[in-house]
């Protein structure tokens, strides 16, 4: 396909040509997906059902669980189907859709984590003004902006990427990923996509700096709390969020900033799974392990 500039479909990376390993991959991803769906649905159900969790922090957490469900559902089922059917095929439209939705959910994820850092800052540093600042109307508006921002980001990136001319249809990844699609360009990155990439880096760096500064102020405020119990309570709401942010940013940096190669190693695949699939799995687990209210509600749901 070297002389072609348009492609009718794409061929995704196959984990192995061995049929037994393909079946093993299918079952591994099936267990991963089932666990991710179950844990996130439990968080969503807990927040909806129990009135004790009807607060801004848990409202944001519910939306985070929805985003994580979306990320996993975009990538995993298609990879499972390909392994089960011994194929690498994904249609052009399917690739565009997967690419758009994945980037939209990832952008929404980072935006929401930034908002959650602000929520913790107001709750700990300005507790007397918390209900006034983080009103339900304001929180709803924030969440709407987060989702719309993610969709706009996905539209811009998808438009920029799929306006380039492709010289190959072989995607060196098990889903339609940004770096691998850009490698298929005949003439390099166009100005539109280059501009979007630069803007994305600036915005992502801005979110990271905002989160770091927020937690620097938060920890300074926590150290001034005289009660040991008060400090532990404040930290118990911050540590899960900080853990999730660290895991997302660290795995994303490792995956995207690693040296580029034409052949994908098992290490590369592992890093991709680390940043794309493990955060949606571990986010609800981390929150449920560290948060007493969620553990209490989940134990009640388990009894039913």
């Amino acid at each position: 396909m070297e002389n072609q500039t348009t492609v009718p479909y794409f061929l995704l990376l196959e984990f192995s040509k061995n049929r037994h390993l393909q079946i093993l991959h299918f079952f591994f991803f099936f267990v991963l997906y089932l666990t991710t769906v179950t844990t996130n649905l439990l968080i969503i159900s807990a927040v909806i059902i129990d009135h004790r969790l009807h607060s801004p922090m848990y409202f944001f957490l519910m939306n985070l669980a929805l985003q994580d469900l979306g990320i996993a559902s975009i990538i995993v089922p298609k990879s499972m189907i390909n392994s089960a059917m011994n194929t690498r095929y994904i249609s052009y439209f399917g690739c565009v859709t997967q690419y758009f939705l994945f980037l939209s959910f990832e952008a929404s994820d980072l935006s929401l984590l930034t908002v959650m850092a602000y929520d913790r800052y107001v709750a700990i540093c300005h507790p007397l003004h918390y209900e006034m600042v983080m009103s339900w109307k304001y929180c709803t508006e924030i969440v709407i902006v987060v989702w719309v921002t993610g969709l706009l980001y996905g539209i811009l990136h998808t438009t920029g990427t799929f306006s380039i001319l492709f010289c190959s249809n072989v995607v060196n990844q098990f889903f339609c990923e940004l770096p691998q699609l850009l490698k298929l360009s005949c003439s390099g990155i166009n100005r539109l996509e280059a501009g979007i990439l630069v803007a994305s880096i600036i915005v992502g760096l801005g979110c990271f700096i905002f989160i770091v500064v927020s937690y620097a102020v938060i920890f300074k405020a926590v150290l001034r709390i005289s009660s040991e119990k008060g400090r532990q309570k404040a930290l118990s709401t911050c540590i899960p969020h900080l853990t999730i942010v660290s895991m997302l940013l660290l795995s994303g940096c490792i995956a995207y900033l690693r040296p580029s190669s034409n052949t994908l190693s098992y290490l590369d695949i592992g890093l991709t799974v680390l940043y794309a699939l493990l955060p949606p799995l571990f986010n609800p687990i981390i929150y449920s392990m560290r948060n007493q209210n969620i553990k209490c509600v989940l134990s009640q749901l388990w009894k039913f």
Side-chain angles (χ1 to χ4, degrees), residues 10-302:
F10 291 94
L11 296 175
L12 299 175
L13 177 75
E14 57 183 355
F15 282 82
S16 175
K17 296 183 182 297
N18 185 295
R19 187 60 184 156
H20 296 292
L21 292 178
Q22 289 175 350
I23 298 299
L24 181 63
H25 159 251
F26 171 85
F27 281 108
F28 172 74
F29 266 41
F30 174 75
V31 172
L32 177 66
Y33 183 61
L34 184 63
T35 307
T36 301
V37 170
T38 302
T39 53
N40 281 285
L41 284 179
L42 282 173
I43 293 293
I44 294 169
S45 302
V47 175
I48 292 174
I49 292 172
D50 199 280
H51 69 278
R52 289 173 296 179
L53 302 184
H54 292 176
S55 67
M57 183 179 77
Y58 299 110
F59 177 59
F60 294 142
L61 179 59
M62 182 183 70
N63 279 272
L64 183 67
L66 286 170
Q67 292 165 354
D68 289 338
L69 266 178
I71 292 171
S73 299
I74 291 160
I75 298 174
V76 180
K78 179 58 180 175
S79 185
M80 287 168 52
I81 291 170
N82 280 2
S83 290
M85 299 181 64
N86 191 22
T87 182
R88 303 170 58 190
Y89 173 86
I90 184 171
S91 67
Y92 185 90
F93 178 74
C95 187
V96 171
T97 304
Q98 189 181 69
Y99 183 84
F100 161 70
L101 291 175
F102 178 74
L103 288 177
S104 297
F105 280 120
E106 283 285 339
S108 299
D109 230 27
L110 181 58
S111 300
L112 188 58
L113 289 172
T114 306
V115 170
M116 292 172 75
Y118 176 71
D119 173 71
R120 291 300 83 206
Y121 162 76
V122 176
I124 294 173
C125 299
H126 304 283
L128 298 178
H129 300 92
Y130 181 74
E131 290 188 7
M132 181 180 67
V133 175
M134 302 302 293
S135 65
W136 275 110
K137 180 183 177 183
Y138 182 61
C139 292
T140 304
E141 290 173 349
I142 288 177
V143 168
I144 291 173
V145 170
V146 164
W147 284 97
V148 171
T149 300
L151 290 174
L152 290 175
Y153 178 79
I155 290 171
L156 287 172
H157 247 311
T158 305
T159 303
T161 300
F162 286 90
S163 63
I164 65 177
L165 300 176
F166 295 111
C167 291
S168 173
N169 69 340
V170 180
V171 181
N172 199 26
Q173 189 55 273
F174 61 90
F175 68 99
C176 291
E177 187 190 31
L178 171 62
Q180 301 302 328
L181 284 174
L182 293 180
K183 288 181 182 179
L184 307 182
S185 171
C186 298
S187 55
I189 304 175
N190 57 29
R191 290 183 179 179
L192 174 61
E193 182 61 16
I196 296 170
L197 286 171
V198 172
S200 301
I201 293 171
I202 293 173
V203 172
L205 187 61
C207 290
F208 172 73
I209 293 173
F210 181 87
I211 293 171
V212 170
V213 172
S214 297
Y215 271 102
V217 177
I218 287 171
F219 287 132
K220 186 177 179 180
V222 169
L223 292 175
R224 290 200 298 264
I225 299 175
S226 57
S227 168
E228 178 70 23
K229 187 176 180 181
R231 285 198 296 270
Q232 290 179 354
K233 184 178 179 181
L235 288 175
S236 68
T237 63
C238 295
I239 291 176
H241 177 258
L242 193 58
T243 304
I244 289 170
V245 170
S246 302
M247 184 170 61
L248 177 67
L249 293 177
L250 182 62
S251 60
C253 288
I254 292 173
Y256 281 99
L257 299 180
R258 67 183 186 271
S260 177
S261 61
N262 293 325
T263 57
L264 213 64
S265 66
Y266 286 111
L267 175 61
D268 295 324
I269 296 173
L271 290 173
T272 302
V273 171
L274 178 66
Y275 93 89
L277 300 182
L278 291 192
L281 171 64
F282 284 116
N283 287 355
I285 295 174
I286 291 170
Y287 259 99
S288 61
M289 286 176 60
R290 296 290 307 184
N291 192 289
Q292 292 297 327
N293 290 335
I294 290 182
K295 284 199 291 187
C296 181
V297 175
L298 289 179
S299 64
Q300 291 176 355
L301 288 174
W302 182 258

